[in-house]
């Protein structure tokens, strides 16, 4: 059996208008697994990624969203109802990328805008 690296349990997301978008979702990701989120437009795929990347919170552009559930990664537990989780990452595709840059170059731009970045990120980007 594959070791669980990220566990998401009881994930629920409600839009600012009160519409339930994701209800009690649960999934576990194992080391080396490739996972696809598949669903109709507007079903919450990007919102799940935003929540796991720390990009969906109650301030700024995402004011009014309600997120609850638990995430566990590397022994660290997050209660999404009260804290922001940043265990995921988001790489834009198609028209959000610069065609004249490599994948590493596009990723480096995103890392440059994060503020304090783990120094290992630069090494990983260089190897990409």
């Amino acid at each position: 059996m594959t070791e669980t690296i990220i566990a998401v349990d009881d994930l629920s997301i409600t839009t600012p208008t009160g519409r339930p978008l994701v209800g009690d979702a649960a999934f576990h990701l194992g080391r080396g697994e490739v996972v696809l989120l598949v669903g109709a437009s507007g079903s919450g795929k990007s919102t799940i990624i935003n929540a796991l990347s720390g990009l969906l919170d109650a301030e700024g552009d995402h004011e009014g969203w309600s997120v609850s559930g638990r995430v566990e990664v590397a022994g660290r537990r997050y209660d999404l109802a009260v804290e922001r989780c940043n265990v995921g990452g988001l790489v834009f595709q198609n028209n959000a990328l610069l065609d004249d840059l490599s994948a590493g170059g596009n990723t480096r731009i995103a890392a440059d805008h994060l503020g304090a970045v783990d120094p290992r990120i630069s090494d990983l980007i260089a190897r990409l």
Side-chain angles (χ1 to χ4, degrees):
M1 181 168 202
T2 304
E3 174 189 7
T4 297
I5 301 300
I6 298 175
V8 176
D9 291 298
D10 300 320
L11 176 63
S12 294
I13 303 173
T14 303
T15 69
T17 62
R19 181 173 71 95
L21 189 60
V22 176
D24 296 323
F27 52 92
H28 293 194
L29 309 176
R31 183 176 307 281
E33 286 186 316
V34 175
V35 178
L36 302 174
L37 286 177
V38 179
S41 178
S43 65
K45 301 178 302 292
S46 295
T47 305
I48 290 171
I49 299 300
N50 285 337
L52 296 178
S53 300
L55 299 174
L56 187 65
D57 57 26
E59 301 174 8
D61 293 339
H62 297 109
E63 185 174 350
W65 287 84
S66 174
V67 180
S68 64
R70 294 174 310 284
V71 176
E72 183 172 345
V73 61
R76 167 85 162 91
R77 294 179 186 198
Y78 296 86
D79 179 350
L80 299 179
V82 295
E83 61 187 318
R84 198 168 149 187
C85 173
N86 61 355
V87 300
L90 180 61
V91 177
F92 294 100
Q93 53 190 336
N94 295 336
N95 61 352
L97 296 177
L98 300 173
D99 291 335
D100 57 330
L101 295 180
S102 66
N106 276 287
T107 305
R108 190 172 297 107
I109 289 173
D112 289 345
H113 289 85
L114 287 175
V117 176
D118 186 322
R120 295 174 293 178
I121 295 293
S122 295
D123 179 53
L124 292 171
I125 291 171
R127 291 191 290 163
L128 181 66

